Amino acid sequence: MSVFDVEGRVAVVTGASSGLGMRFVRVLVENGALVVAAARREERIRALEAELGAERCMGVVADVADEASVVAMVEAAVGRFGRLDILVNNAGTTHVGPALEESADEVRRVFETNVVGLFACCREAAKVMIPQGSGSIVNVASTLGLVGIGKIPQAAYAASKGAVVNLTRELAAQWARHGVRVNAIAPGWFPTEMTSGMFDNEKSLGYIARTVPVGRGGRDDELDGALLFLASGASNYVIGQVIAVDGGWSAV
């Protein structure tokens, strides 16, 4: 199991104040990593920092849609721990509604966080990782970046996650020779703040049960393996790939 080891590695996780991001921070810390938990909501990341211990988890207030904030986030990580080995780009937003009613401003807002902000995080992390000759970037895409859905209309979100999928491939192709791996996880239906309406609604739960081959949504712990695989040396020869963790939803 040593190939999955992240002991002593330095990680930054964005969108760390709730849901999957908070889970990713806990998993990395529990497996020995030193983690910068970055998010906009300061009170939540301070609570997470206190829970996990400031010696292993440092909270940083950051907004990935603000380029200066991204630069400061990476500088804070390197300033505290001296290097950067893992970046988990989890921060994201959405807008649910028919495309005919979706304004260009809403599309821009979603793309500013999900694509432009994610790109800035990748770029700033790579500026540290390339001179090191090593690093792993794990982008959090979505199965909605792989297929269309229609029944839960969110064109801007789906388009932005599709962009994340191909941005992952392009950055991987550019940086692999420098020792930096870029891959992505594409979660299916997992309970988060953005999907709370799905998991609080019997009709939506019925949709998940009917359309996901395993008959249910995912549990938080069911992303742990994919995260550790991509973050660790276990995936040294995995470059530019997107791993769908969705109970088979995108396969049918």
Side-chain angles (χ1 to χ4, degrees):
M1 295 300 291
S2 61
V3 293
F4 292 92
D5 186 23
V6 293
E7 181 73 34
R9 298 193 186 186
V10 178
V12 169
V13 179
T14 67
S17 61
S18 66
L20 301 183
M22 188 175 286
R23 174 74 186 189
F24 294 153
V25 172
R26 290 193 174 107
V27 169
L28 289 168
V29 169
E30 288 166 4
N31 283 274
L34 306 169
V35 182
V36 173
R40 292 178 300 172
R41 291 177 288 191
E42 183 172 11
E43 70 285 355
R44 292 197 180 189
I45 57 171
R46 296 299 171 220
L48 186 60
E49 181 183 61
E51 173 195 334
L52 298 176
E55 70 282 358
R56 301 204 69 87
C57 176
M58 178 176 73
V60 171
V61 178
D63 180 356
V64 302
D66 179 345
E67 192 167 11
S69 183
V70 170
V71 172
M73 174 187 74
V74 173
E75 288 178 347
V78 176
R80 170 70 181 276
F81 297 115
R83 57 185 295 117
L84 178 57
D85 303 297
I86 301 161
L87 168 66
V88 182
N89 272 316
N90 171 73
T93 188
T94 190
H95 176 260
V96 179
L100 288 174
E101 300 171 10
E102 198 162 22
S103 70
D105 284 343
E106 283 291 354
V107 175
R108 291 189 189 96
R109 180 186 65 81
V110 171
F111 267 71
E112 279 296 322
T113 295
N114 294 4
V115 182
V116 180
L118 180 141
F119 171 78
C121 291
C122 290
R123 184 196 63 212
E124 294 306 307
K127 288 179 181 179
V128 179
M129 293 175 174
I130 288 174
Q132 291 175 175
S134 65
S136 175
I137 296 174
V138 182
N139 293 326
V140 178
S142 168
T143 49
L144 296 189
L146 303 173
V147 300
I149 182 172
K151 289 183 178 295
I152 307 169
Q154 40 192 322
Y157 179 81
S160 72
K161 292 301 185 178
V164 169
V165 166
N166 218 44
L167 179 59
T168 295
R169 297 180 181 126
E170 174 60 21
L171 297 182
Q174 289 192 27
W175 297 340
R177 290 184 184 273
H178 301 287
V180 178
R181 294 178 292 110
V182 187
N183 293 288
I185 300 171
W189 300 114
F190 282 82
T192 68
E193 285 188 6
M194 285 200 298
T195 62
S196 59
M198 292 286 292
F199 286 87
D200 294 340
N201 183 292
E202 288 299 322
K203 183 177 179 180
S204 297
L205 287 172
Y207 169 79
I208 292 172
R210 289 192 309 274
T211 59
V212 177
V214 299
R216 60 173 176 82
R219 301 189 309 266
D220 287 351
D221 64 288
E222 289 176 318
L223 287 167
D224 297 356
L227 171 67
L228 290 173
F229 171 65
L230 293 178
S232 71
S235 58
N236 273 349
Y237 203 58
V238 178
I239 306 294
Q241 300 303 304
V242 180
I243 300 177
V245 185
D246 64 358
W249 184 77
S250 61
V252 296

